[in-house]
Amino acid sequence: QVQLVESGGGLVQAGGSLRLSCTTSERSFSSYAMGWFRQAPGKEREFVASISASGGSKYYADSVKGRFTISRDNARGILFLQMNSLNTKDTAVYYCNSRQPYETATMTPGPYWGQGTQVTISS
């Protein structure tokens, strides 16, 4: 069982930035493709971004391309999501997600989820 813990959410004004982090104690973190998903009130959970185990391949939802950047530090077992030019449509609970070891990064979630971190953007 992979345990994931998100942090870095908060309340910011439109146009601002936030950086989310997802930490894990999983020793083979570098074997897992990872991703970020989000769920706004009354909506289904949706894909935001994903990254391959090595960090060499990244994928983004059209709605965040050019504004969000996913990255990872395999030495420290941390996944990041840098979010710039935030707008009110980005308000949601953001979830860290992990696929099974050695699976490729995709836009569909794997079986492991964090508890989520709230991101609220004010106009």
Side-chain angles (χ1 to χ4, degrees), residues 26-43:
E26 178 59 45
R27 288 182 295 176
S28 56
F29 176 74
S30 61
S31 300
Y32 293 80
M34 304 290 296
W36 290 97
F37 291 75
R38 66 185 182 186
Q39 188 166 19
K43 295 188 176 182

Side-chain angles (χ1 to χ4, degrees), residues 4-5 8 14-16 27 33 35 37 42 48 53 58 62 66 72-73 78 87 95 97 100 105 107 110 119 122-123:
L4 305 169
V5 179
R27 288 182 295 176
F37 291 75
V48 175
K58 303 177 183 180
D62 288 343
R72 63 191 297 159
D73 184 334
I78 306 176
N87 59 62
Y95 296 90
N97 178 265
Q100 296 281 19
M107 295 186 289
V119 171
S122 63
S123 58

Side-chain angles (χ1 to χ4, degrees), residues 7-113:
S7 61
L11 171 65
V12 297
Q13 288 189 326
S17 298
L18 279 174
R19 188 174 81 156
L20 305 183
S21 299
C22 172
T23 58
T24 176
S25 59
E26 178 59 45
R27 288 182 295 176
S28 56
F29 176 74
S30 61
S31 300
Y32 293 80
M34 304 290 296
W36 290 97
F37 291 75
R38 66 185 182 186
Q39 188 166 19
K43 295 188 176 182
E44 294 185 353
R45 195 170 299 188
E46 64 176 5
F47 168 77
V48 175
S50 63
I51 187 169
S52 63
S54 67
S57 297
K58 303 177 183 180
Y59 306 91
Y60 296 95
D62 288 343
S63 59
V64 306
K65 278 181 183 176
R67 300 188 299 122
F68 291 11
T69 302
I70 189 170
S71 62
R72 63 191 297 159
D73 184 334
N74 281 347
R76 293 192 293 160
I78 306 176
L79 176 73
F80 300 102
L81 185 67
Q82 178 66 44
M83 305 186 295
N84 300 328
S85 302
L86 287 161
N87 59 62
T88 55
K89 294 180 179 180
D90 296 317
T91 294
V93 177
Y94 283 71
Y95 296 90
C96 177
N97 178 265
S98 172
R99 301 194 62 80
Q100 296 281 19
Y102 307 110
E103 286 186 341
T104 57
T106 71
M107 295 186 289
T108 57
Y112 306 114
W113 294 95

